[in-house]
Amino acid sequence: MSETYTDSHLRDILTRTRRIAVVGVSMNPVRPSYYVARYLGLKKYEVVPVNPGHAGEVLFGQTVVARLSDIEGDVDMVDIFRRSEHVPPIVEEALAALPGLRTIWMQIGVEHAGAAEMARARGVDVVMNRCPKIEYQRLFGELRMGGFNTGVISSKL
């Protein structure tokens, strides 16, 4: 079910986005969800960590919330680090709880056509099976030749 996205579309999403809820973020620095969230924070996005197992803890200066409906204020993007079968209820909650939501972003290996259609029907952009860290690096000239298109994800910044 691989979808294609134009570079201009991805660049537009990454440029307009200011606040990102990262669902399934890990407190473990070697996990992709941790270093992607850290990277996005370093790029001046406000990252809201979402993980019920760590609610109340602090990650990157932000208090971890249990669910999307616990977030105060608007969120531009929800970045999902959960298995594909867990996506529909996350998207349903995002659409119900986040009126300013503009993008649902599913990480590499995460795809759900039904959830994508539900979001798109509400006017929300959807990106599946991509990583915003990798796309940011690629589109804004940060990928070094050694890390370009190798398929390797590294926790090193």
Side-chain angles (χ1 to χ4, degrees):
M1 159 179 51
S2 187
E3 294 191 358
T4 57
Y5 309 99
T6 65
D7 286 354
S8 62
H9 180 62
L10 295 174
R11 190 178 291 110
D12 177 54
I13 289 171
L14 293 169
T15 301
R16 75 181 185 212
T17 298
R18 295 285 166 253
R19 193 166 190 228
I20 304 171
V22 180
V23 177
V25 70
S26 174
M27 304 295 276
N28 182 341
V30 301
R31 301 286 301 161
S33 62
Y34 177 96
Y35 58 79
V36 168
R38 178 173 175 258
Y39 176 86
L40 293 172
L42 292 171
K43 291 300 162 192
K44 307 301 184 223
Y45 294 104
E46 182 184 345
V47 174
V48 181
V50 181
N51 185 323
H54 296 289
E57 296 180 50
V58 176
L59 186 64
F60 314 124
Q62 300 285 328
T63 302
V64 180
V65 296
R67 60 193 62 78
L68 292 169
S69 55
D70 294 337
I71 298 172
E72 294 181 17
D74 274 341
V75 167
D76 302 306
M77 177 195 295
V78 172
D79 184 15
I80 303 174
F81 275 96
R82 297 291 315 276
R83 288 196 312 267
S84 298
E85 62 265 25
H86 298 295
V87 167
I90 294 167
V91 171
E92 288 171 12
E93 183 184 16
L95 294 173
L98 306 170
L101 183 66
R102 299 196 56 196
T103 308
I104 294 284
W105 193 301
M106 300 179 212
Q107 279 292 333
I108 293 171
V110 182
E111 295 180 281
H112 197 287
E117 192 50 47
M118 184 183 358
R120 288 178 177 139
R122 294 275 295 275
V124 175
D125 286 324
V126 177
V127 177
M128 296 189 285
N129 195 30
R130 296 284 184 105
C131 175
K133 174 184 183 289
I134 292 171
E135 296 305 321
Y136 187 99
Q137 290 175 314
R138 184 177 69 82
L139 294 168
F140 297 99
E142 291 192 7
L143 271 185
R144 296 172 286 289
M145 289 309 290
F148 188 76
N149 242 358
T150 62
V152 174
I153 301 173
S154 169
S155 62
K156 294 181 177 61
L157 294 174

